[in-house]
Amino acid sequence: QVQLVESGGGVVQAGGSLRLSCAFSGGTFSAYAMGWFRQAPGKERAFVAAITWNGGKIYYADSVKGRFTISRDNAKNTVDLQMNSLQFEDTAVYYCACRMSRVAASMSSSFYDTWGQGTQVTVSS
């Protein structure tokens, strides 16, 4: 079965950067669309970024556009989220997700059928 494992979370001061990575296993990575979502305490899970199977189309939430960059390396079976200019409001558990698709990626959590365990990102002042 497909498994996703996030890494790279931690504590960073406001204005700093972190790079999250999601390792994919158990399937053919290049057949999957990938997404990043986040959930802060007391809030609903929110879309962050998504990328199609070959990186041909990329989508960002308005709140992170210009600060975050999603990328994938199909040779390494990984998808990364480079987060710059981090703000306190970015504090959340970050999840990667996937769905087999060579047609599209989605901003909707319901599109994805496999999720990682999450990695905590804490932005301090």
Side-chain angles (χ1 to χ4, degrees), residues 3-7 21-24 34-37 79 94-98 112 114-119:
Q3 291 184 310
L4 302 173
V5 180
E6 303 95 335
S7 62
S21 184
C22 176
F24 173 104
M34 305 295 299
W36 284 98
F37 293 78
V79 59
Y94 283 70
Y95 299 90
C96 66
C98 68
Y112 301 93
T114 302
W115 295 78
Q117 83 290 346
T119 186

Side-chain angles (χ1 to χ4, degrees), residues 1 9 52 65 71 79 121:
Q1 61 179 354
T52 53
K65 193 172 298 182
S71 61
V79 59
V121 172

Side-chain angles (χ1 to χ4, degrees), residues 10-16 18 67-68 83 85-92 94 120-125:
V11 181
V12 63
Q13 289 187 308
L18 283 174
R67 300 188 298 120
F68 291 11
M83 305 185 294
S85 301
L86 283 162
Q87 304 165 359
F88 174 78
E89 293 78 13
D90 296 317
T91 296
Y94 283 70
Q120 177 70 48
V121 172
T122 301
V123 183
S124 63
S125 60

Side-chain angles (χ1 to χ4, degrees), residues 65-116:
K65 193 172 298 182
R67 300 188 298 120
F68 291 11
T69 302
I70 188 172
S71 61
R72 67 188 296 157
D73 188 337
N74 283 357
K76 297 181 178 180
N77 289 4
T78 58
V79 59
D80 290 356
L81 185 70
Q82 178 66 47
M83 305 185 294
N84 298 328
S85 301
L86 283 162
Q87 304 165 359
F88 174 78
E89 293 78 13
D90 296 317
T91 296
V93 177
Y94 283 70
Y95 299 90
C96 66
C98 68
R99 174 177 173 170
M100 184 182 293
S101 175
R102 280 191 167 181
V103 177
S106 178
M107 297 182 290
S108 174
S109 62
S110 63
F111 174 82
Y112 301 93
D113 52 28
T114 302
W115 295 78

